[in-house]
Amino acid sequence: MSSNLIQKILNLYPRQDENMIFKSGREGYWSNLSKQENNKFRKILENDGAKSAVQSVIPQFEDMIYSEKREAALELLDHEKSGICIDFGCMWGVLSTGMAKRGHEVISIDQTYQSLLFLKKRAEEDNLNNIHIIQDDIKKTKFTDIADYAIVNGVLEWIPILEEVEVKKFYGKSLHSDVEDSETPSNMQEQFLKTVFTSLKEEGKMMLAIENRHGHQYYMGRKDPHANLLFTTFLPRPLSNFISKFFHNKPYRNYIYSFKDMENMVRSVGFKECETYMCFPDYHFPELIISYSKQGVLEYRKYPNENRITVKQKISYYVEYFIMRYFKAKFFAPAIIIVAKK
Amino acid sequence: MISLLKNHQHYGKVYFMEEVDLCNNKKYFIKSSSSLNGIVDISTELTGVAWYNSKVSNKIKYEISIRRKSYIKVKYLEIKGIVPKLSKKTYHSNIRYIEKVIDHYCSVWGGDSTNAKVPLHGDFSLLGNIVFINDEIPVVIDWEHFKSNVAPIGFDAMYFLFELLWFETSQANNICEHSLTHLNKMLLKLKSANCLNEIFINKPLEATRKFMLNNDNYWGSQFNKMPIMFFSKDEIDFIDNKMLF
């Protein structure tokens, strides 16, 4: 299958660079690291390899990059037959690696070259020759009926952001904003989901993970994980937009959704079947993933979480336990995972 | 309907899921892993289950759904039965179950000479690892720590009894005389069934702990959480002195 697949990729991306990364000519930047940090990281990556580079330059991300715990949501997909998977916005490739280990041919797409270089190195070190890497703007990919699986993990909410993102800086004030006149965030997100839909074969499945707009933690004072502002996830969009402009001098565009709205958007682009799940405490390091249904919520139970350290975090957990166990308040679950079938 | 109920818990590298087939009203428990350690744990468990199934009539039903170099997934059919409640994790509140489990141990592990090394379950615990069909017949599950022929006969049974005693001690801050008398009775039962190695005869608790300390690698990072390692020196002496053969 690999050579056929490579041919299909080459049809769309005829150019491959010296690192065997397929190039579209479109570049961008989204990273937890600043460009400066990434340059330092790249040098160590080339000399010492992927794991050493992570351990010496960004040890705080070692778990985020290497922990198989992060792959848990992939267990919602069926891996009995090997297929082709596209990881949209793969970044360092945690889930690409997870799908490759499960036996699939993986096409990993991201705009940030530094992240892709890391993935390339890691795949070599892990002897995973079934990961094919493309640098492109995921909104502009042109794959059609090629994939059995598509991964959209923590990506949809960033689709409306057109500028380069260094996460730490993005949380602060924006100095300029040229996105004011672009399309509405939800339109852009819907368009992107159409691109994902088109890339899938008939009966192909998309796994999408995103925060729940109405996650109980946001009502209890946790800041919006993208805008870094209080209450903007659940307030009406115009009000969130006003708050974001007032405090950060930029419009509010990292739209996240409620369970119902997210499912509606997924269905609106053509997906026939949707299995919706609640994810606790978040989709990055899930401890518990249960069906978003009356029966599913009955499966809610206590779960461990090493990051539950502060009093506020502990109170938030007890509130969650209380509302899930006694009120079956699935609407307030922290994160959404949808497995949708074309 | 599928649910992920545990993700890499207890220092393990295994995903634990539950799948309910609403059409057939069947429930499965799924263990899978994409990490080397997790794959080893699940493979070890399969070896343990195969050994156990060769010894019992109520077999654990399972299917290896996927086995690749870097991924494994095993589906176990639910064993319909009672798992004693975690809230009642003391010795004296589980006497009925304890007797059934000790009988079961003798029937599964017995038959060899008392000097022979026997397979090790490694987490032979009433707290979630034994299901009672019709509230009567024990089925031992969770064989992730299985080792072939490494333990002196009686070890898992000793572990089982002393773990419950430890929970009782830690909850009540007291050792119930009635529980100790019963525990003595269970040791005699194991001995008369030729299921107790002589190392456990004089100081059973100390011998159990010593075996664990000498083989801590069998438990990996979970070793430090094994309840019976928390007994104090005084408690060990007190309990062992009450064990009269």
Side-chain angles (χ1 to χ4, degrees):
Chain A
M1 181 159 67
S2 198
S3 57
N4 277 346
L5 178 62
I6 290 170
Q7 193 48 54
K8 283 177 185 170
I9 298 171
L10 277 168
N11 290 342
L12 292 173
Y13 299 93
R15 200 157 67 84
Q16 225 177 341
D17 71 5
E18 69 281 6
N19 294 308
M20 303 300 285
I21 293 175
F22 295 97
K23 306 272 281 185
S24 65
R26 289 180 281 265
E27 295 185 2
Y29 193 88
W30 191 105
S31 181
N32 295 78
L33 309 185
S34 67
K35 286 185 178 172
Q36 205 178 4
E37 284 170 320
N38 244 327
N39 287 338
K40 186 180 167 193
F41 183 66
R42 184 174 172 172
K43 276 181 199 155
I44 298 178
L45 181 71
E46 279 161 10
N47 295 330
D48 301 344
K51 191 122 193 178
S52 301
V54 170
Q55 284 168 343
S56 60
V57 184
I58 46 168
Q60 71 275 28
F61 291 116
E62 188 174 351
D63 253 8
M64 188 186 246
I65 296 170
Y66 281 102
S67 171
E68 288 91 358
K69 197 168 180 169
R70 290 202 64 200
E71 300 168 14
L74 299 181
E75 293 305 293
L76 301 173
L77 300 171
D78 176 14
H79 305 293
E80 281 176 32
K81 262 175 72 181
S82 296
I84 294 170
C85 169
I86 304 181
D87 185 0
F88 288 91
C90 63
M91 224 213 144
W92 286 317
V94 181
L95 298 191
S96 292
T97 309
M99 287 301 275
K101 283 193 284 183
R102 283 162 177 77
H104 306 291
E105 292 288 331
V106 182
I107 301 172
S108 307
I109 312 175
D110 204 279
Q111 60 181 338
T112 312
Y113 194 72
Q114 290 89 331
S115 306
L116 296 175
L117 272 180
F118 170 80
L119 174 55
K120 186 77 202 164
K121 198 80 175 173
R122 182 186 174 180
E124 279 167 18
E125 287 175 10
D126 291 355
N127 292 319
L128 294 170
N129 55 9
N130 48 346
I131 298 180
H132 313 282
I133 302 174
I134 297 171
Q135 185 186 25
D136 198 359
D137 176 346
I138 53 173
K139 296 188 281 293
K140 294 185 177 154
T141 55
K142 299 271 185 243
F143 285 111
T144 308
D145 296 328
I146 188 179
D148 301 280
Y149 307 96
I151 307 290
V152 181
N153 187 66
V155 163
L156 192 69
E157 62 272 34
W158 291 101
I159 290 295
I161 307 299
L162 300 177
E163 61 202 85
E164 292 192 337
V165 175
E166 289 181 20
V167 173
K168 275 183 245 165
K169 278 189 195 167
F170 185 82
Y171 285 155
K173 270 194 179 186
S174 178
L175 297 176
H176 62 89
S177 177
D178 53 3
V179 294
E180 193 73 60
D181 298 327
S182 63
E183 275 188 88
T184 64
S186 46
N187 279 348
M188 292 172 77
Q189 288 167 323
E190 207 172 311
Q191 276 305 317
F192 168 67
L193 286 181
K194 278 183 188 158
T195 306
V196 175
F197 181 82
T198 308
S199 74
L200 285 167
K201 291 176 191 165
E202 208 56 39
E203 308 234 308
K205 284 185 173 178
M206 170 183 74
M207 196 280 284
L208 179 147
I210 190 167
E211 290 85 0
N212 173 18
R213 178 182 185 183
H214 295 291
H216 64 86
Q217 68 276 25
Y218 305 126
Y219 288 90
M220 295 189 61
R222 186 180 298 175
K223 285 184 176 173
D224 184 321
H226 313 104
N228 198 30
L229 290 163
L230 285 171
F231 311 132
T232 45
T233 63
F234 59 82
L235 286 172
R237 306 291 194 202
L239 195 50
S240 299
N241 199 35
F242 172 80
I243 293 170
S244 182
K245 281 182 176 173
F246 185 81
F247 286 105
H248 286 169
N249 192 29
K250 63 185 175 190
Y252 182 74
R253 297 184 64 82
N254 294 90
Y255 281 18
I256 55 176
Y257 296 90
S258 65
F259 281 90
K260 198 177 157 205
D261 290 344
M262 193 68 261
E263 199 178 309
N264 285 343
M265 185 185 277
V266 167
R267 285 187 189 277
S268 75
V269 302
F271 285 100
K272 285 187 297 206
E273 289 172 32
C274 275
E275 292 164 16
T276 305
Y277 298 89
M278 299 174 265
C279 188
F280 304 88
D282 56 56
Y283 66 84
H284 300 290
F285 287 94
E287 295 286 355
L288 186 63
I289 302 175
I290 51 181
S291 170
Y292 183 73
S293 62
K294 274 185 192 169
Q295 271 203 310
V297 75
L298 300 178
E299 295 286 350
Y300 181 86
R301 58 194 64 198
K302 286 180 184 168
Y303 56 85
N305 182 2
E306 313 165 339
N307 298 323
R308 199 184 295 140
I309 301 162
T310 65
V311 175
K312 197 171 164 185
Q313 285 164 337
K314 285 176 185 165
I315 292 172
S316 180
Y317 170 67
Y318 292 127
V319 169
E320 175 188 291
Y321 184 78
F322 188 75
I323 62 173
M324 289 297 159
R325 278 308 283 260
Y326 300 107
F327 292 97
K328 318 294 177 211
K330 51 190 200 296
F331 180 80
F332 294 109
I336 304 170
I337 294 177
I338 291 181
V339 177
K341 195 180 193 181
K342 183 169 175 179
Chain B
M1 189 176 78
I2 191 161
S3 313
L4 176 103
L5 301 179
K6 292 179 190 170
N7 186 6
H8 290 57
Q9 276 189 19
H10 306 303
Y11 305 100
K13 298 268 185 182
V14 172
Y15 309 108
F16 179 76
M17 287 161 291
E18 180 189 278
E19 187 180 330
V20 180
D21 185 338
L22 294 169
C23 303
N24 301 324
N25 199 23
K26 280 186 176 174
K27 193 189 262 188
Y28 300 91
F29 293 106
I30 300 167
K31 290 187 176 182
S32 61
S33 184
S34 62
S35 88
L36 285 180
N37 289 343
I39 292 168
V40 168
D41 284 349
I42 292 174
S43 304
T44 302
E45 173 158 71
L46 290 174
T47 316
V49 169
W51 174 78
Y52 182 67
N53 277 351
S54 73
K55 298 277 182 179
V56 294
S57 52
N58 290 298
K59 300 188 191 311
I60 297 171
K61 290 180 184 147
Y62 67 95
E63 171 195 312
I64 303 171
S65 308
I66 305 171
R67 192 172 211 162
R68 298 197 174 106
K69 201 177 82 184
S70 50
Y71 183 69
I72 191 167
K73 182 173 181 178
V74 181
K75 213 168 168 177
Y76 293 91
L77 182 64
E78 179 196 29
I79 299 160
K80 290 202 168 141
I82 305 281
V83 179
K85 283 186 179 163
L86 281 175
S87 54
K88 288 189 173 178
K89 53 184 180 183
T90 60
Y91 191 101
H92 72 265
S93 60
N94 288 295
I95 297 271
R96 194 173 73 85
Y97 290 125
I98 290 170
E99 291 178 356
K100 288 182 192 308
V101 171
I102 295 301
D103 285 342
H104 186 66
Y105 181 87
C106 293
S107 76
V108 173
W109 270 264
D112 290 329
S113 111
T114 53
N115 291 325
K117 296 277 187 192
V118 296
L120 169 83
H121 178 278
D123 194 11
F124 199 72
S125 169
L126 195 63
L127 311 174
N129 289 350
I130 303 173
V131 183
F132 292 84
I133 298 173
N134 299 326
D135 206 15
E136 289 289 331
I137 307 158
V139 178
V140 183
I141 57 171
D142 268 347
W143 289 83
E144 282 176 28
H145 297 289
F146 179 78
K147 295 271 179 300
S148 293
N149 304 338
V150 294
I153 191 159
F155 169 79
D156 278 319
M158 294 287 99
Y159 179 86
F160 168 83
L161 294 167
F162 287 124
E163 183 191 62
L164 283 167
L165 194 64
W166 184 82
F167 281 117
E168 180 157 304
T169 311
S170 65
Q171 278 180 19
N173 207 17
N174 187 21
I175 298 174
C176 170
E177 200 66 37
H178 176 63
S179 299
L180 287 174
T181 311
H182 187 269
L183 202 151
N184 230 331
K185 203 173 118 191
M186 292 300 100
L187 296 189
L188 286 169
K189 187 183 244 186
L190 285 161
K191 190 174 175 234
S192 60
N194 281 333
C195 286
L196 199 65
N197 187 287
E198 61 184 14
I199 63 164
F200 298 114
I201 302 242
N202 281 333
K203 293 185 169 182
L205 177 53
E206 196 179 301
T208 306
R209 285 166 48 94
K210 196 172 167 191
F211 175 78
M212 291 179 74
L213 282 164
N214 290 340
N215 300 284
D216 58 350
N217 58 317
Y218 293 170
W219 290 274
S221 45
Q222 270 199 53
F223 180 77
N224 293 326
K225 287 202 157 187
M226 305 306 270
I228 78 163
M229 300 315 291
F230 295 118
F231 277 115
S232 70
K233 179 80 179 82
D234 288 347
E235 286 168 336
I236 296 166
D237 290 343
F238 177 78
I239 292 164
D240 277 343
N241 285 332
K242 290 277 181 179
M243 298 295 119
L244 305 168
F245 281 96

